[in-house]
Amino acid sequence: MAALIVAPRPRVLCRSVAGLFTRCSALRYSGARRGSAAFKSRAVKVGVPPAAKCYSESASGSATGPGLELLVHYLEASESAGIVVFGINRPQSKNAISKNLVEMMTAAIEEVKCDKNVRAVILRSEVPGIFCAGNLPMPTIAALDGTALGGGLEMALACDIRVAATSAKMGLVETKLAIIPGAGGTQRLPRIVGVSLAKELIFSGRLLDGTEAKVVRLVSHVVEQNEAGDAAYHRALSLAKEFIPQGPIAVRLAKLAINQGIEVDLKTGLAIEEACYAQVIPTKDRIEGLNAFKEKRLPRYTGE
């Protein structure tokens, strides 16, 4: 039987999107200034302060191995610039969520959430066959190439979009251990698949493969697994590339409007949408979008 991956109630998963966004609104977030146009891949080490980073020249050349529980890759290729990949790397414990991992994830989220250069975040596993995956103001995609159980699936549920390989296995299995999903599973799963089915899946602790998960809309896309075991990641990367050309402030505010609006009645939701729309009006990006349309060229958005 696959190992049960069950998380405690990490605070990072329980923050609201509004709370994360308020501290760096669309009109005020400045982003960390970088010395080079090409972002470098970063690997956060275990047992060192969150500010300590280990650098490599590119995402593909990033070091992996014992002691590197969370790898943060800033992709450098021109068509991928603006995409950040969080890679969970705890092979010794099948990517089970630990206090240390939660602290490093929190630090990584704090670093990217107010960076206007970051357009999308992909959450993946660096361990073949295992996924353990949170909310950020920019789009987040969970790439499920392996097993996502308990807290691992709950972390994936906190992402905006989930992509799975056909061979992936996922489920909220906490009732098998006489506990309940405690990191958002009882709240997020019903909102995604419906109340009745969510109850059935949680009560039974049933596992779904990627194809079954797509049928019940637990994941948005399912792909055949490849020999390298990273088919879902590549599909997630192609999705993220679709988001990059769009106005980053508009995308963030659209996410905010959806996330807050879905929790209230339609009248209140429309008021939230109006408030978010008002925030894009004075931006430089909106003017750039209009000018690009008039001049029949691609816009050059700066997140301002």
Side-chain angles (χ1 to χ4, degrees):
M1 178 180 178
L4 301 179
I5 303 176
V6 183
R9 195 177 182 86
R11 288 178 293 117
V12 67
L13 299 184
C14 303
R15 295 181 181 179
S16 68
V17 173
L20 288 172
F21 202 85
T22 300
R23 291 168 55 189
C24 52
S25 73
L27 303 184
R28 292 187 294 104
Y29 65 85
S30 59
R33 295 292 179 183
R34 308 188 186 282
S36 168
F39 297 165
K40 291 185 182 292
S41 174
R42 308 178 181 184
V44 184
K45 286 188 175 181
V46 172
V48 297
K53 302 292 193 302
C54 174
Y55 291 86
S56 65
E57 288 304 312
S58 68
S60 60
S62 177
T64 60
L68 299 175
E69 290 197 356
L70 181 65
L71 307 178
V72 181
H73 306 302
Y74 287 74
L75 302 191
E76 295 179 323
S78 59
E79 70 276 7
S80 302
I83 299 174
V84 176
V85 181
F86 288 2
I88 301 175
N89 183 47
R90 302 191 72 228
Q92 71 282 3
S93 58
K94 299 185 183 296
N95 277 2
I97 298 175
S98 65
K99 180 181 178 181
N100 191 53
L101 178 61
V102 170
E103 290 175 350
M104 289 190 294
M105 188 74 75
T106 302
I109 288 173
E110 289 298 319
E111 180 172 345
V112 304
K113 76 178 184 182
C114 296
D115 188 340
K116 69 179 183 180
N117 295 307
V118 178
R119 305 295 179 88
V121 173
I122 297 175
L123 183 63
R124 69 173 302 200
S125 169
E126 300 284 345
V127 182
I130 295 291
F131 174 88
C132 177
N135 283 329
L136 286 161
M138 68 284 293
T140 56
I141 308 171
L144 304 171
D145 275 306
T147 303
L149 305 180
L153 180 56
E154 288 179 290
M155 192 172 287
L157 293 174
C159 293
D160 299 314
I161 301 166
R162 285 157 298 284
V163 179
T166 51
S167 59
K169 298 291 183 183
M170 62 202 79
L172 296 180
V173 298
E174 284 87 346
T175 54
K176 293 180 182 291
L177 299 179
I179 59 175
I180 70 170
T186 63
Q187 303 306 303
R188 292 191 174 98
L189 187 63
R191 287 166 167 79
I192 293 170
V193 304
V195 173
S196 181
L197 181 56
K199 288 178 178 178
E200 180 181 332
L201 294 175
I202 291 174
F203 295 168
S204 66
R206 183 186 308 158
L207 299 186
L208 303 177
D209 61 27
T211 301
E212 293 168 327
K214 176 65 167 63
V215 171
V216 300
R217 299 184 179 181
L218 178 56
V219 301
S220 300
H221 303 271
V222 62
V223 291
E224 289 290 336
Q225 188 56 283
N226 58 28
E227 291 185 5
D230 60 359
Y233 167 68
H234 285 288
R235 183 69 181 95
L237 188 59
S238 67
L239 278 175
K241 290 178 181 179
E242 291 185 43
F243 305 155
I244 291 176
Q246 318 314 324
I249 298 177
V251 171
R252 291 183 178 214
L253 285 169
K255 173 173 175 172
L256 182 65
I258 293 169
N259 284 357
Q260 290 195 345
I262 200 68
E263 304 294 336
V264 297
D265 61 89
L266 179 59
K267 182 178 180 180
T268 306
L270 290 172
I272 292 171
E273 179 185 79
E274 183 178 0
C276 289
Y277 185 85
Q279 291 190 60
V280 302
I281 297 302
T283 64
K284 294 179 180 179
D285 278 354
R286 184 185 73 88
I287 302 302
E288 167 62 15
L290 289 175
N291 290 337
F293 179 78
K294 293 176 182 177
E295 298 166 12
K296 298 181 179 180
R297 60 173 174 81
L298 292 176
R300 297 181 291 271
Y301 295 125
T302 60
E304 299 176 288

